[in-house]
Amino acid sequence: GRPWSNPEAQEDPAHLSKSRLRSDLVSHNVELPPAGSKKEVYLKLHLEHVDQGNAAGFSSDEDDQVLYAPGGDRVDTKIPDPTALSDKDLKDLLLKYGVKAGPIVASTRAVYEKKLRKLLQSDGNEGLNEAETAVLYSDSDEEGEENGDLEDEKESEEEKERINEALELNQKQCNEHLQEPVKNILKDLIPEAKTTPTGIYVTPRRPIKGAAQRPILYGYPDTPVSPTTLERRDVERRLVPIYVQILVFFIVLYILYFISINV
Amino acid sequence: MLQLCPHICDPAMSSTSQKHKEFVAEPMGEKPVNALAGIGEVLGKKLEEKGFDKAYVVLGQFLVLKKDEELFKDWLKDTCGANAKQQRDCYGCLKEWCDAFL
């Protein structure tokens, strides 16, 4: 069976917990009331925005395969509430978005829920059904055969969306980072590039040493010098100690001479 | 004064703090959580309140998040309100420690 088909339709919102109402509102892109508001406030908003979508004559169970709701209202009612997901479902759904999640334990649950919420919100406008129903169907064996083809189609669309998303993210991050000093661009771009799902990576061109007021960041190898310059540098290095050595030599000579005279 | 030694300190080396260097130099043992780079008194207290009273507990969280940079930084921000630089320092510190000892 499907773990979370139409939870809002089946439960009276008044029976939902405040945090559940809150996350429903978030997934419907409804502005949250100020923190610390009473449950009634959340409930009211929930009834206004979320249940409106349900009341618009939206799907019975058979209509689950419809990707876009008629009449322009968003397909938000299909978005699973990350808080309500089981650990396994949360992990699977994250995997659909290309996120290889680690163990979902008490301390990691919140972080992964937050990540999923972020992914869901950015994906909400494009019709989430593909990812979600794919998870639904993959969970139940009985429905597996029938929906095999559907799943494939949905997955390739998913992938395209994921690639677009990743590209957008990359673009956005690149633009943001341009504001920071040069050093950070390199540090941030290079590690980022390794993890892009698209496999696109950047190798920054080394800036021309000293050109256009660019600070010299790399230690370029020494410019080639002529042998005479090297010699001169060598001699210069030893000049001072040599003087000391010669001086000491003569002093010792003088002392010896002085002694030999007096003997 | 005779400058016999032409060796000059490399300025690039000072990008990691002293705290970072000290932490990464040896096994962390029972070091407190504010021995981590990026974690000072204030953040350390907040982490302790949440139960992360030793550096190794934070290490545990880091590992359970599979050493993922974004997730760990998010977790750190949510748990103790670390800013971007503190997140970066802490992540870098733990990552380097793991590279050396794990």
Side-chain angles (χ1 to χ4, degrees):
Chain A
R2 300 182 199 110
W4 18 255
S5 53
N6 264 346
E8 292 96 337
Q10 290 166 6
E11 293 177 45
D12 184 0
H15 293 147
L16 295 171
S17 71
K18 183 171 156 191
S19 59
R20 173 65 184 277
L21 291 171
R22 225 162 43 123
S23 36
D24 279 351
L25 290 176
V26 166
S27 54
H28 285 68
N29 286 332
V30 179
E31 211 185 87
L32 290 176
S37 303
K38 294 223 158 122
K39 184 180 169 181
E40 291 101 71
V41 186
Y42 290 101
L43 188 56
K44 197 176 117 212
L45 279 168
H46 192 278
L47 288 167
E48 272 178 30
H49 297 272
V50 176
D51 294 332
Q52 232 177 45
N54 281 341
F58 193 50
S59 54
S60 58
D61 278 348
E62 280 87 350
D63 286 349
D64 270 355
Q65 297 188 17
V66 173
L67 299 184
Y68 293 93
D73 199 3
R74 281 206 228 112
V75 194
D76 318 286
T77 49
K78 290 298 185 188
I79 296 177
D81 175 18
T83 320
L85 289 171
S86 73
D87 289 344
K88 185 181 182 303
D89 291 336
L90 179 60
K91 191 165 187 207
D92 290 340
L93 198 47
L94 280 166
L95 197 61
K96 289 292 167 191
Y97 282 92
V99 177
K100 287 211 184 102
I104 312 264
V105 292
S107 59
T108 60
R109 172 113 197 169
V111 192
Y112 284 121
E113 277 182 19
K114 184 176 165 192
K115 183 150 186 109
L116 186 61
R117 232 172 247 130
K118 250 191 268 179
L119 291 165
L120 288 173
Q121 279 184 347
S122 66
D123 214 37
N125 288 329
E126 295 162 21
L128 177 58
N129 265 344
E130 294 114 287
E132 183 202 333
T133 46
V135 178
L136 288 171
Y137 292 133
S138 67
D139 267 355
S140 51
D141 288 321
E142 331 134 42
E143 297 164 314
E145 297 301 317
E146 237 184 297
N147 299 302
D149 292 336
L150 264 165
E151 231 181 281
D152 286 334
E153 284 177 22
K154 286 176 197 165
E155 275 185 40
S156 60
E157 280 189 56
E158 250 181 84
E159 262 191 61
K160 278 190 223 148
E161 284 174 17
R162 232 182 291 153
I163 290 171
N164 286 334
E165 213 188 275
L167 273 171
E168 267 181 51
L169 250 171
N170 232 357
Q171 289 274 351
K172 243 186 280 171
Q173 284 168 339
C174 283
N175 289 334
E176 282 171 20
H177 288 277
L178 276 170
Q179 306 301 321
E180 299 176 20
V182 179
K183 264 195 194 134
N184 289 338
I185 293 178
L186 299 169
K187 281 200 193 128
D188 289 337
L189 273 182
I190 297 172
E192 240 171 55
K194 283 193 185 136
T195 58
T196 54
T198 57
I200 299 169
Y201 60 93
V202 290
T203 46
R205 176 180 68 85
R206 290 170 121 200
I208 300 165
K209 180 179 175 185
Q213 293 177 333
R214 254 185 291 256
I216 296 169
L217 297 175
Y218 299 99
Y220 282 96
D222 279 342
T223 53
V225 285
S226 64
T228 36
T229 331
L230 283 168
E231 256 183 64
R232 195 172 15 104
R233 284 194 196 154
D234 252 2
V235 174
E236 278 169 5
R237 236 185 292 145
R238 275 179 288 163
L239 255 176
V240 175
I242 276 188
Y243 272 138
V244 174
Q245 288 176 32
I246 295 172
L247 202 63
V248 168
F249 175 73
F250 279 117
I251 290 174
V252 170
L253 249 180
Y254 183 71
I255 290 173
L256 284 170
Y257 179 76
F258 192 69
I259 291 171
S260 64
I261 292 178
N262 288 346
V263 157
Chain B
M1 188 66 187
L2 302 177
Q3 293 279 342
L4 296 175
C5 178
H7 190 66
I8 303 167
C9 281
D10 182 6
M13 287 294 286
S14 56
S15 59
T16 50
S17 66
Q18 187 59 31
K19 214 173 172 189
H20 174 110
K21 287 191 202 129
E22 281 176 7
F23 191 85
V24 168
E26 55 180 2
M28 64 174 78
E30 298 287 323
K31 282 187 187 166
V33 76
N34 50 16
L36 284 162
I39 308 292
E41 241 186 81
V42 176
L43 294 182
K45 226 176 204 71
K46 290 192 186 160
L47 282 170
E48 281 172 20
E49 283 167 15
K50 297 268 173 83
F52 296 88
D53 55 345
K54 296 276 183 188
Y56 65 70
V57 189
V58 180
L59 172 71
Q61 182 68 14
F62 176 68
L63 296 175
V64 114
L65 290 169
K66 303 182 93 171
K67 305 192 218 171
D68 181 287
E69 180 169 0
E70 195 197 320
L71 288 175
F72 180 73
K73 284 180 173 175
D74 273 348
W75 172 83
L76 202 59
K77 184 170 86 168
D78 291 340
T79 310
C80 63
N83 65 30
K85 181 180 189 298
Q86 290 161 329
Q87 293 166 26
R88 194 168 46 234
D89 289 344
C90 189
Y91 168 78
C93 177
L94 280 171
K95 181 168 185 308
E96 221 177 290
W97 189 93
C98 286
D99 289 344
F101 296 102
L102 204 56

